[in-house]
Amino acid sequence: MANRIWKFLTTDIKELCSAEAAEGIGEAGKTAAELAKMFKEQGLDNSNLLLEVLNSPLAQVVGTGLPFVGMAAKMLAFFIEKTQQQPTLAECIFLVSQAAYLESFKEFFEQDESLLNRIGQTPVSDKVKHLLKKLADLEFKDNDQEKPVTKTVICFRDSILAEEFNLVLSQRLQQAGLKAEEAQILTKRVAANTHRYLIEAWAVCGEAMKHLGQPSIREWREEQEKYHSLDHYLQEQIGSLPLQPVFTENFSFKDIYVPLKAKAINKNGKPINDAEVFDLPTWAKQFLEDEKRKNRVMFVEAGPGRGKSVFCRMFADWVRQHLHPIWTPVLIRLRDIPTLQKSFRETLKEAVNTGFASDHGWLTARNTRYLFFLDGFDELLMEGRSSGGLEQFLKQVGQFQRDCDQNSEMGHRVLITGRTLALQGIERQMPDNLERVEIQVMDDGLQQQWLSKWEAQFGAEKTSAFQHFLQDECCPENVKSELSREPLLLYLLAAMHRDKILKVEDFQGTNSTQAKILIYNQAVNWVLTEQRSKLLNRNLTELETEDLRRILTEAGLCVVQSGGECAPVAMIEERLREDNSVKALLEEAQKRIGDNPLRNALAVFYFQQGSKEGSVEFVHKSFGEFLCAERLKESLQEWTEPGKKGRGFNTQDSQMEWEIYDLLGYGPLTGEIVEYLMGLLTTPAVAGEERLFRPVELFQRLEGFYLRWCEGEFIDMLPESLPQKKMRLLRDQWKTQELGQRQIDVYAGLNVMILLLELHRYGQKTPEFKDKMVFYPSGKPNAEGKLDDASRLLRLIGYSYCIGNSGFLHTVGRFLSGANLSGANLSGANLSGANLSGANLSSANLSSANLNRANLSSANLSGANLSRANLSRANLSHADLSGAYLSGADLSGADLSGADLSGAYLSGANLSGANLSGADLSGADLSDRTFGDVKWDENTKWENVGGLDTAVNVPEALRRQLGMQ
């Protein structure tokens, strides 16, 4: 489209290029003359487009420093002045878009000098010239349907001009030596960045485009302020992340980070069969480019210390450097979201508190595509989790991503990270558009890359010594194959070995949990002793290492009780005042130094200022969980110490009962805390030390509390119940705490149930305790083998609805393996996804129960009533289902391999897609008049199934299919 303006420049204006004529043509004419002169010098004086400057060596285009936007404005002004004609909107936009596109192009190449040096002097090719000629002939005007001119004004990156300009620039860059992929990405970035220069050009054209209703200077400045706000955010909040120091080291995350690998997992959180391990950043890049997955959420899961948050930091900055503004990264720590709003858009508004997000329409601005990093779904605020907030949040995110796919004004993408265990029990409520992947431990190649980076920091000698430590035959296999391949633990191992804190002998005889506890325990001692001198002079606190450790365990408890994120210093101070020994030391230290000794003490460890004023948080969540477990261990040991009432509060209530509410009435115990706690309790005492863990006594005391809690004794106390007292303290110490006394009562009781289940499993594995530590969650059988109150657990499940529809499942569901639930009435109970492996459910009533995707492997279900139960996709491998009532049960997709189904009633059961390989169906009844025939399909696996020759009422069709006589 060689419009009148450009024709005027390349023909009529040539006569003005002489020095004599230039004197009388004004500033606009001089600019036009300079451009015409440049085109003539480059042999482009017959050009039809401003974009034809790309025919020049690219270094020259950038090096001239020509203000393309200003030039376009002055050319328009000069055209109107000399011709007394008004250009059309299409003519203006066609010219101004070229100027804005070239300005954007110039910006990127000015920022990357090395790239310009690679390709800057390459001459143009005939193909590029052909594309430019084709562009000059482009029909560019609005019509009744497409309206390309209007679309260009609204969103240049999606316009036909962007498409055509990109073809030219991409080919020019490839012809200059860039690979096709690199050229296309750079071209897309130039196009996405053009809008900020387009609105500038349109605004500064002033009188030249007044008749077209262009935005005012004020409106342009408002747009520019948003861009400047975004630039500042990217530089300060995203670009700084890789440069932050690793804990208290002198090196940054960038210095030691290696890209991690991941593997796809299914809706149940299980690895997909034959799924390949892939590079995580590469997967994320490809995901962004895949138009077919625009409606899907990137969902990255892993256990603690596997590198989820560091991946977010590093990949967000990579997007900033290499993809912005195609994608603009925004990183949100979910722990910092104060309150979940009614919609995810409103939640984003609260979380992204910056200038560029202040406008109500920031998410519908077509020219910006955000990539939202939501880090730590397991760290959502505690009150949100207690009311089903995680399920609600994930549904909101899933719907937001669908909206982005369907609404052309949005088009944003979301990447979420968090711990897989936090999802247990809620998979059924999760949206179906999550693309779930799980970070894998480092393989040999990645570990070696990490060690090479460590060597760059500390030299070959120390690195080689550490490698010998890992390869030593005395180093346990779990340290070699697992712990030393997790980023956080690998760093701690390397750093402590560097400082001569760890010896390979320390790990002898430890299992995986004990080895992990040893690492964290040594890490705490290491920070409090070896690193303490670097951070804090002892005179600042006047506290010994043991006292500091006591403070840290209380801080760990406070952080966990506050939602696993940060805790008010005032809350920690308040709790420590109840410990007379620490209280006296703190008061004495304050007298000597005239400062707050607690804050100084906290500065010793891996603490940082929390997201809320006056609060602190651990640099890594795992430290808080470990120290919380250590704090719980101290009280559990004291509860059984002869003649000692335990630390805590001077009240008339039973000391242990109050401490249970104080320590456990805040929210669900996490799997990590329970793992650390049981590991700390059961680790054998060092020779010469008294064994403080008295398992039988502890079990009996907790069981007594549990039985009384089941009767509602503690919540009915007068004048103030223990749940009321804890509620008051939480609200005084943690102002945003919304737990009521019922929620606190439920959590205290369910957490005690978790401890009893763990002690039960420990006792059953220890011959001397096997008969003394048997926990019956639903009541102990009487002399006749019957339960006096078979529905007790069912009532507790109902009571747990106080903390959400899946309250019991989300809190206790993962800890039910090996539980003794024989004879229990669980009719209609929701146990979806629960871990009941090895549990005793013989003769239990599970009719109509929801056991979808539950793990019942090796469970004893003999004689159980499972009629009409939902066992879809449940794991029943090697389970004892002899004599079980499965009439009308949904067993579709269930794993029944190796299961004992002898004498079971299967009439009307749905076995579609079920795996019955190696199952025993001796004497099983497969049909009756009430439920009809058992159901199966072509996906049902019957390989090596046994006992069908003695089964009852085998349908004729099944006989024929299996070749039975």
Side-chain angles (χ1 to χ4, degrees):
M1 179 182 172
N3 61 26
R4 293 176 298 160
I5 304 169
W6 195 256
K7 182 176 182 297
F8 174 74
L9 172 67
T10 57
T11 56
D12 301 342
I13 206 172
K14 289 180 181 179
E15 62 189 53
L16 299 175
C17 290
S18 63
E20 295 81 3
E23 292 180 1
I25 61 175
E27 189 66 29
K30 289 179 181 179
T31 299
E34 288 175 9
L35 184 63
K37 183 178 179 182
M38 173 191 164
F39 270 56
K40 183 176 182 180
E41 291 173 350
Q42 294 298 320
L44 305 173
D45 48 339
N46 292 317
S47 297
N48 294 313
L49 299 166
L50 179 58
L51 212 61
E52 287 200 41
V53 297
L54 295 176
N55 282 335
S56 305
L58 298 179
Q60 184 172 340
V61 178
V62 176
T64 58
L66 284 174
F68 292 107
V69 166
M71 287 166 49
K74 290 175 180 178
M75 287 164 59
L76 282 171
F78 187 64
F79 171 81
I80 295 171
E81 177 187 338
K82 288 300 180 182
T83 66
Q84 296 300 304
Q85 298 177 28
Q86 295 289 355
T88 66
L89 177 63
E91 289 174 326
C92 291
I93 294 301
F94 193 71
L95 174 62
V96 169
S97 293
Q98 294 177 67
Y101 192 84
L102 287 169
E103 201 72 57
S104 177
F105 162 81
K106 188 175 67 171
E107 177 188 330
F108 278 106
F109 278 82
E110 285 175 341
Q111 294 173 356
D112 196 337
E113 187 176 341
S114 62
L115 178 60
L116 195 60
N117 290 335
R118 283 170 54 197
I119 66 174
Q121 301 303 323
T122 309
V124 74
S125 69
D126 290 338
K127 187 172 182 179
V128 175
K129 291 179 180 178
H130 175 73
L131 288 172
L132 284 166
K133 184 179 183 305
K134 181 182 176 183
L135 177 60
D137 297 332
L138 177 70
E139 183 75 16
F140 185 67
K141 63 180 181 179
D142 272 345
N143 53 45
D144 293 337
Q145 293 182 341
E146 296 299 327
K147 297 189 179 298
V149 179
T150 304
K151 287 184 177 180
T152 302
V153 174
I154 296 172
C155 182
F156 177 82
R157 69 193 291 168
D158 294 334
S159 69
I160 187 172
L161 285 191
E163 182 180 341
E164 296 296 330
F165 290 4
N166 287 351
L167 283 174
V168 174
L169 181 57
S170 178
Q171 186 60 41
R172 182 69 174 97
L173 294 174
Q174 291 180 61
Q175 175 261 323
L178 294 188
K179 294 181 180 179
E181 182 181 2
E182 186 179 5
Q184 288 167 7
I185 290 176
L186 184 54
T187 299
K188 287 181 180 179
R189 296 180 73 191
V190 170
N193 195 48
T194 295
H195 181 74
R196 69 191 302 172
Y197 293 108
L198 183 60
I199 59 173
E200 176 185 352
W202 201 3
V204 300
C205 283
E207 293 296 323
M209 293 179 66
K210 186 176 182 180
H211 66 291
L212 298 173
Q214 90 281 11
S216 66
I217 293 295
R218 179 183 61 80
E219 291 172 319
W220 166 66
R221 285 176 177 169
E222 289 176 355
E223 286 285 340
Q224 292 304 302
E225 285 177 5
K226 291 178 184 176
Y227 278 117
H228 289 315
S229 170
L230 188 55
D231 291 341
H232 179 77
Y233 170 82
L234 292 174
Q235 189 62 42
E236 297 296 321
Q237 302 297 320
I238 301 297
S240 63
L241 294 175
L243 304 178
Q244 292 177 352
V246 177
F247 296 108
T248 58
E249 302 282 4
N250 294 323
F251 55 84
S252 68
F253 287 100
K254 182 179 179 181
D255 297 324
I256 204 167
Y257 175 74
V258 295
L260 300 171
K261 293 184 178 181
K263 191 173 185 178
I265 55 178
N266 61 24
K267 294 179 180 179
N268 303 327
K270 304 296 182 184
I272 296 175
N273 292 337
D274 302 322
E276 296 182 356
V277 175
F278 48 78
D279 178 75
L280 183 58
T282 301
W283 169 81
K285 296 170 196 174
Q286 293 172 345
F287 201 104
L288 286 174
E289 296 171 4
D290 192 343
E291 291 290 316
K292 296 179 180 179
R293 292 195 280 182
K294 290 193 300 182
N295 68 332
R296 301 190 67 77
V297 176
M298 290 176 276
F299 207 76
V300 181
E301 306 171 29
R306 288 285 182 90
K308 301 178 295 297
S309 295
V310 177
F311 163 70
C312 281
R313 295 180 182 189
M314 302 302 294
F315 190 61
D317 186 57
W318 184 91
V319 171
R320 176 190 71 87
Q321 294 185 64
H322 299 283
L323 291 182
H324 175 70
I326 303 173
W327 296 105
T328 299
V330 174
L331 178 58
I332 300 169
R333 295 194 317 171
L334 292 179
R335 68 176 71 176
D336 294 337
I337 293 180
T339 307
L340 291 181
Q341 303 297 325
K342 293 181 179 178
S343 73
F344 182 59
R345 295 194 199 189
E346 295 176 17
T347 299
L348 282 176
K349 179 74 174 176
E350 293 289 326
V352 187
N353 187 23
T354 55
F356 67 85
S358 59
D359 188 340
H360 288 294
W362 71 291
L363 289 174
T364 53
R366 292 172 180 266
N367 291 280
T368 309
R369 299 286 187 268
Y370 294 106
L371 170 57
F372 292 107
F373 291 84
L374 309 178
D375 185 29
F377 59 71
D378 53 295
E379 297 179 18
L380 282 167
L381 69 170
M382 180 57 66
E383 55 267 33
R385 286 207 300 265
S386 65
S387 59
L390 180 54
E391 299 99 306
Q392 174 193 347
F393 179 75
L394 293 179
K395 287 179 180 178
Q396 287 181 354
V397 173
Q399 186 57 51
F400 175 80
Q401 191 63 71
R402 292 189 189 95
D403 293 342
C404 288
D405 176 42
Q406 297 168 6
N407 188 343
S408 61
E409 292 182 337
M410 296 171 66
H412 313 299
R413 303 299 291 271
V414 178
L415 187 155
I416 310 183
T417 70
R419 297 185 182 182
T420 302
L421 273 180
L423 303 173
Q424 191 163 359
I426 68 167
E427 285 93 346
R428 193 163 55 93
Q429 291 82 29
M430 289 169 61
D432 59 5
N433 62 331
L434 304 181
E435 193 98 358
R436 297 176 66 177
V437 301
E438 185 174 39
I439 296 177
Q440 304 296 292
V441 296
M442 293 180 178
D443 57 23
D444 291 343
L446 286 181
Q447 188 187 59
Q448 191 55 51
Q449 285 183 42
W450 192 94
L451 290 169
S452 297
K453 292 199 168 192
W454 187 260
E455 182 177 335
Q457 298 298 321
F458 300 104
E461 184 178 348
K462 288 186 176 180
T463 305
S464 178
F466 178 56
Q467 287 180 286
H468 285 130
F469 166 84
L470 294 178
Q471 295 165 1
D472 194 295
E473 61 180 15
C474 295
C475 186
E477 187 58 34
N478 56 63
V479 175
K480 294 178 182 179
S481 62
E482 181 183 350
L483 304 185
S484 67
R485 296 175 183 274
E486 298 182 10
L488 175 62
L489 293 177
L490 177 57
Y491 158 73
L492 291 174
L493 284 167
M496 288 190 287
H497 186 271
R498 174 199 63 194
D499 293 349
K500 300 180 180 179
I501 302 301
L502 277 185
K503 300 181 181 64
V504 71
E505 295 80 18
D506 297 336
F507 291 98
Q508 288 185 352
T510 61
N511 58 34
S512 182
T513 299
Q514 291 168 341
K516 191 183 295 186
I517 289 172
L518 173 64
I519 294 170
Y520 281 125
N521 187 54
Q522 292 286 64
V524 174
N525 291 334
W526 170 56
V527 174
L528 293 180
T529 55
E530 299 299 317
Q531 290 200 326
R532 183 177 175 185
S533 60
K534 303 175 187 177
L535 299 170
L536 184 70
N537 186 292
R538 181 178 179 277
N539 293 329
L540 290 180
T541 62
E542 295 293 319
L543 297 174
E544 298 294 342
T545 298
E546 183 178 347
D547 302 317
L548 285 172
R549 182 139 189 165
R550 167 71 187 92
I551 290 171
L552 291 179
T553 60
E554 202 68 50
L557 176 70
C558 289
V559 168
V560 169
Q561 288 204 356
S562 299
E565 39 171 309
C566 57
V569 174
M571 181 181 184
I572 303 172
E573 289 176 326
E574 180 67 26
R575 295 189 62 85
L576 287 169
R577 288 194 188 102
E578 306 304 326
D579 190 319
N580 292 330
S581 59
V582 176
K583 178 182 177 183
L585 285 167
L586 290 174
E587 290 175 349
E588 181 63 25
Q590 189 159 10
K591 288 179 184 178
R592 294 189 183 187
I593 64 177
D595 198 358
N596 188 317
L598 176 60
R599 287 172 170 80
N600 291 329
L602 294 175
V604 175
F605 201 66
Y606 290 161
F607 270 100
Q608 60 188 11
Q609 183 175 349
S611 57
K612 300 177 179 65
E613 185 177 353
S615 65
V616 292
E617 63 180 278
F618 287 95
V619 172
H620 198 282
K621 184 179 178 182
S622 293
F623 289 113
E625 291 172 322
F626 172 73
L627 288 165
C628 175
E630 191 170 295
R631 172 66 181 84
L632 295 177
K633 180 206 72 169
E634 293 169 6
S635 284
L636 264 62
Q637 289 177 337
E638 287 179 350
W639 293 343
T640 60
E641 190 171 341
K644 191 169 183 178
K645 297 180 180 179
R647 91 166 104 249
F649 300 80
N650 183 18
T651 71
Q652 296 178 352
D653 301 317
S654 166
Q655 193 67 36
M656 187 196 78
E657 291 159 4
W658 162 244
E659 287 191 4
I660 284 175
Y661 277 95
D662 182 43
L663 297 175
L664 301 176
Y666 67 90
L669 281 171
T670 66
E672 290 79 17
I673 291 176
V674 172
E675 179 187 10
Y676 295 143
L677 176 59
M678 292 306 297
L680 287 165
L681 286 171
T682 59
T683 298
V686 178
E689 289 188 1
E690 180 186 1
R691 181 179 174 85
L692 300 178
F693 176 46
R694 302 171 182 84
V696 176
E697 292 86 343
L698 178 60
F699 176 82
Q700 291 172 345
R701 297 205 69 182
L702 289 176
E703 186 182 37
F705 174 92
Y706 173 78
L707 294 174
R708 295 166 65 192
W709 171 75
C710 288
E711 298 302 318
E713 178 178 331
F714 303 109
I715 199 169
D716 290 338
M717 280 181 173
L718 293 174
E720 181 183 47
S721 70
L722 297 179
Q724 282 180 310
K725 183 176 180 179
K726 178 62 177 177
M727 178 184 68
R728 177 171 48 80
L729 283 176
L730 281 175
R731 293 187 177 182
D732 289 344
Q733 297 168 353
W734 188 244
K735 302 302 181 185
T736 60
Q737 180 58 251
E738 296 179 358
L739 290 181
Q741 60 176 320
R742 288 178 305 157
Q743 287 84 20
I744 289 171
D745 187 51
V746 169
Y747 278 127
L750 295 186
N751 285 334
V752 167
M753 183 189 294
I754 290 170
L755 296 180
L756 285 167
L757 287 165
E758 291 294 319
L759 290 169
H760 169 84
R761 274 190 292 276
Y762 172 74
Q764 297 309 296
K765 294 176 183 177
T766 311
E768 61 180 300
F769 302 138
K770 191 167 185 178
D771 296 331
K772 300 176 182 178
M773 296 171 65
V774 183
F775 177 46
Y776 298 94
S778 203
K780 187 176 182 180
N782 56 28
E784 299 175 355
K786 303 291 184 180
L787 300 185
D788 294 329
D789 186 6
S791 299
R792 173 190 291 166
L793 185 57
L794 191 61
R795 289 199 307 275
L796 295 181
I797 293 173
Y799 183 38
S800 300
Y801 272 69
C802 293
I803 57 173
N805 292 342
S806 302
F808 176 85
L809 195 60
H810 187 60
T811 305
V812 183
R814 73 192 69 173
F815 300 103
L816 291 169
S817 63
N820 194 331
L821 297 167
S822 177
N825 177 16
L826 293 166
S827 176
N830 180 13
L831 294 168
S832 172
N835 181 9
L836 287 155
S837 59
N840 183 359
L841 288 154
S842 59
S843 301
N845 181 4
L846 289 156
S847 59
S848 301
N850 183 2
L851 290 156
N852 173 251
R853 297 190 302 272
N855 182 0
L856 289 152
S857 59
S858 301
N860 181 0
L861 290 152
S862 59
N865 181 1
L866 290 154
S867 60
R868 295 189 177 90
N870 180 3
L871 289 153
S872 173
R873 291 179 286 175
N875 181 0
L876 289 152
S877 59
H878 303 286
D880 182 358
L881 288 154
S882 58
Y885 292 84
L886 288 156
S887 300
D890 183 0
L891 288 156
S892 58
D895 183 1
L896 288 155
S897 59
D900 182 359
L901 288 158
S902 59
Y905 295 85
L906 287 160
S907 56
N910 183 1
L911 292 170
S912 301
N915 180 7
L916 287 142
S917 303
D920 181 7
L921 288 165
S922 302
D925 193 336
L926 277 62
S927 181
D928 65 19
R929 292 182 179 181
T930 302
F931 291 96
D933 293 347
V934 67
K935 301 176 181 64
W936 72 97
D937 62 11
E938 66 277 7
N939 296 315
T940 305
K941 297 180 180 178
W942 300 96
E943 290 82 359
N944 299 317
V945 66
L948 274 175
D949 55 331
T950 62
V952 179
N953 297 326
V954 179
E956 189 60 34
L958 182 58
R959 287 180 174 275
R960 289 196 301 270
Q961 178 180 324
L962 299 179
M964 297 174 61
Q965 298 298 328

